Amino acid sequence: MKPADLLWPASTARLAIRPAVVEDLPRIFEYYRKPEVSEWLASHPADLDAFIERARQPELLACIYVVERGDIHIGDLYMGIRDAWAQKEVQAQAHATQAEIGYVIAPDYAGQGYANEAVAELLRICFEDLGLRRVTAECLAENVASWRVMEKAGMRRETVTRQASLHRSGRWLDGYGYAVLADEWCGSRVS
């Protein structure tokens, strides 16, 4: 099954999650450009038109999911479905079996458990609805809020990279890689 085949929105106790549309991009840009968010992004979006032009590309837009509380857009999720590495003879069995995820909650809504709730639902979608076998996520080690979300969701730290990422501040930063397998995941992690 593919994400486009699912019934949207997905709902939690407080949130609705749905595929993003082009009209959502100005709101995403609004909080991505805030220093407390862009600090951890691969690029600091400075131009709305350039941001929309890049994000509206079908292969990227298809991976973005809006997080809403009522009718208020409070954040977004990323879910990129990938093939697992496999030897040539078994590549077909590894097709679209894992996902990389990411998440951003707008600063006005941070610290209220929304990221935990949204990520728990995204993992549920990955494992229960899409039947994936592995989900991964990465962050810079200094982004404590991000790796705490991963840990609370039941993901395990698999990698620690030493000074592998050059931050726009000019500092080389450590990174963390997290993952969880379908048979390890517990759907009742959010508390």
Side-chain angles (χ1 to χ4, degrees):
M1 184 171 288
K2 298 177 183 175
D5 299 330
L6 300 178
L7 182 61
W8 296 100
S11 298
T12 69
R14 303 182 296 167
L15 305 173
I17 299 168
R18 62 169 174 79
V21 295
V22 172
E23 292 77 18
D24 295 314
L25 299 177
R27 171 66 179 132
I28 294 172
F29 174 81
E30 184 181 307
Y31 56 85
Y32 273 28
R33 61 191 294 248
K34 293 188 176 192
E36 61 266 42
V37 174
S38 68
E39 173 79 10
W40 307 115
L41 300 177
S43 65
H44 175 78
D47 178 78
L48 175 61
D49 292 334
F51 177 81
I52 291 174
E53 185 59 33
R54 179 181 170 274
R56 73 180 302 147
Q57 299 305 309
E59 64 279 356
L60 180 54
L61 190 61
C63 297
I64 302 171
Y65 297 83
V66 170
V67 179
E68 295 174 317
R69 165 103 194 198
D71 61 353
I72 301 169
H73 176 147
I74 66 166
D76 65 274
L77 303 168
Y78 171 84
M79 177 176 58
I81 297 177
R82 309 274 189 263
D83 295 349
W85 182 90
Q87 292 176 317
K88 186 170 181 60
E89 298 81 4
V90 290
Q91 281 179 339
Q93 295 170 348
H95 177 68
T97 58
Q98 61 187 34
E100 178 182 9
I101 65 169
Y103 38 87
V104 176
I105 298 296
D108 292 346
Y109 303 95
Q112 300 174 48
Y114 295 130
N116 295 325
E117 193 170 330
V119 167
E121 179 62 9
L122 188 59
L123 288 174
R124 188 202 65 73
I125 291 166
C126 287
F127 294 130
E128 293 181 7
D129 295 348
L130 299 174
L132 301 179
R133 64 170 298 281
R134 178 177 163 85
V135 175
T136 64
E138 295 180 348
C139 70
L140 294 170
E142 290 184 17
N143 189 350
V144 176
S146 185
W147 57 260
R148 283 188 176 156
V149 168
M150 293 181 227
E151 290 180 357
K152 190 162 189 172
M155 299 179 85
R156 93 183 138 287
R157 188 178 298 168
E158 288 189 335
T159 60
V160 176
T161 57
R162 296 286 299 161
Q163 297 183 7
S165 302
L166 181 58
H167 191 269
R168 70 181 59 89
S169 67
R171 297 181 302 133
W172 287 94
L173 300 181
D174 297 348
Y176 293 151
Y178 281 78
V180 62
L181 296 171
D183 61 6
E184 299 170 322
W185 177 73
C186 173
S188 60
R189 294 255 182 211
V190 174
S191 56

